[in-house]
Amino acid sequence: LKNALAIPPPAPPAADGSGVPGGPMRLPDDVSAEIRGNLLRSVVDPQVAVRRVASSAVSASCVASAAGEGRESLPLSRWPELLPFLLGCVESASAEVAAGRPLSAEAAAAMDGSLLTLRKVLEDAPAQFERESGPAFATRLVPALLTCLS
């Protein structure tokens, strides 16, 4: 999945009979939504190996889309729920820490997967992230990170 999202396979030959592929394959909206939902659920999976693979798939998709070259799989612009979801997981863990409660296993997994995904996307496509996330994202993320790390 990660490789197919990062470098979509070529589309079938053009309908005009020329035999020339019509460019990279583009996911239909319903398929894209299903993949996005599954990846978000996997980012917060209890199993660390699943979280790592999902984080890599999310990052690879965003990076491939940022690289251009006619590739567009799941760029941040077509994934409006990604950043709010990741931020919500970090803020939820931050609220538990701020209240003096130990993190539940579920909250710890969600925070770990979200931070791992954010790190990979920021590391691999910082310009795209900055352009598409806006300043409000960092304004909310930094205090949540400081609380979690204190």
Side-chain angles (χ1 to χ4, degrees):
L1 176 64
K2 175 183 137 187
N3 292 337
L5 289 173
I7 305 171
D16 63 7
S18 65
V20 177
M25 188 178 290
R26 183 172 162 89
L27 295 171
D29 289 340
D30 60 327
V31 172
S32 175
E34 183 177 344
I35 290 171
R36 290 190 321 256
N38 287 332
L39 283 172
L40 289 179
R41 281 187 293 282
S42 298
V43 162
V44 298
D45 193 86
Q47 299 294 318
V48 69
V50 173
R51 292 194 303 267
R52 287 181 181 157
V53 170
S55 294
S56 293
V58 169
S59 178
S61 174
C62 293
V63 170
S65 298
E69 302 171 20
R71 294 187 245 160
E72 183 175 317
S73 44
L74 292 174
L76 289 173
S77 60
R78 286 187 60 207
W79 201 332
E81 66 275 20
L82 176 64
L83 297 178
F85 176 81
L86 297 175
L87 181 60
C89 291
V90 174
E91 286 179 329
S92 176
S94 173
E96 285 192 36
V97 170
R101 294 187 302 263
L103 284 179
S104 65
E106 185 179 274
M111 184 180 76
D112 177 62
S114 296
L115 291 175
L116 183 61
T117 303
L118 284 167
R119 187 198 79 193
K120 289 180 179 184
V121 172
L122 283 166
E123 196 173 273
D124 297 339
Q128 179 191 17
F129 183 87
E130 183 180 0
R131 184 177 57 251
E132 295 186 23
S133 67
F137 184 81
T139 303
R140 289 177 53 197
L141 178 63
V142 171
L145 286 175
L146 290 173
T147 301
C148 285
L149 299 174
S150 63

